[in-house]
Amino acid sequence: MEWLKLTVDYGIIGFLIIMSVVAVAVAIERRLYFRKVSTDAFPDKKSLELELTRKLHILGTIASNAPYIGLLGTVLGIMLTFYTMGREGFMDTGKIMVGLALAMKATAVGLLVAIPSITLYNFLVRRAKELIFEWEIKNGRERV
């Protein structure tokens, strides 16, 4: 069952860290793109909307799935703790609490990834909507 501990520590938490890096990279790339984009270059609203919302689904997916991946790590950690308790029979309360606390770290990391990701997603979606509204104000409804 040592493989299960390694799966939680390196697999689940490592995957969450990778997700966090990807979320930040996408957010930075989109923010930089929003700064330099010229709405005048787009002939219609749909092409502008397509370009502005490109890659935002990645942020939304990370934000919505990170807590579940963290929860999976917690469940696996708790399973490992119960397995160890069953195998060793009577166990010191301190060992049980340490095992459960270590299991909860996966949920904590999942939330630490999800909360900033959903915040960044919401800010970027709002900015995309603002740029679309600016295009509509400049071009009226005739090219919509």
Side-chain angles (χ1 to χ4, degrees):
M1 283 304 253
E2 186 63 28
W3 65 271
L4 191 56
K5 182 177 181 339
L6 295 174
T7 300
V8 173
D9 282 343
Y10 297 108
I12 301 286
I13 293 177
F15 186 60
L16 286 167
I17 290 170
I18 290 169
M19 288 173 65
S20 177
V21 169
V22 169
V24 169
V26 167
I28 289 171
E29 186 274 332
R30 287 284 86 192
R31 182 65 182 128
L32 292 174
Y33 178 75
F34 288 171
R35 275 192 187 166
K36 70 174 185 163
V37 71
S38 172
T39 56
D40 297 331
F42 294 90
D44 58 63
K45 179 182 168 186
K46 291 298 179 189
S47 61
L48 173 64
E49 192 172 351
L50 275 173
E51 194 58 37
L52 292 177
T53 58
R54 191 175 312 278
K55 298 180 187 173
L56 288 183
H57 67 283
I58 297 169
L59 264 178
T61 302
I62 289 172
S64 62
N65 287 306
Y68 295 117
I69 294 170
L71 183 61
L72 173 64
T74 297
V75 169
L76 293 175
I78 290 172
M79 285 173 48
L80 179 64
T81 301
F82 285 154
Y83 175 80
T84 305
M85 284 171 50
R87 193 183 69 222
E88 292 184 11
F90 180 74
M91 235 175 121
D92 179 30
T93 309
K95 277 186 167 181
I96 295 170
M97 292 303 130
V98 167
L100 294 178
L102 292 176
M104 295 300 292
K105 74 181 173 186
T107 296
V109 173
L111 291 173
L112 286 174
V113 172
I115 293 169
S117 296
I118 197 67
T119 303
L120 291 169
Y121 174 80
N122 287 332
F123 282 134
L124 291 170
V125 166
R126 173 63 185 161
R127 183 64 185 134
K129 286 181 181 180
E130 288 172 357
L131 290 168
I132 292 167
F133 291 151
E134 288 174 15
W135 184 93
E136 286 181 344
I137 290 168
K138 287 180 191 173
N139 295 290
R141 303 276 310 160
E142 68 270 5
R143 293 191 335 184
V144 173

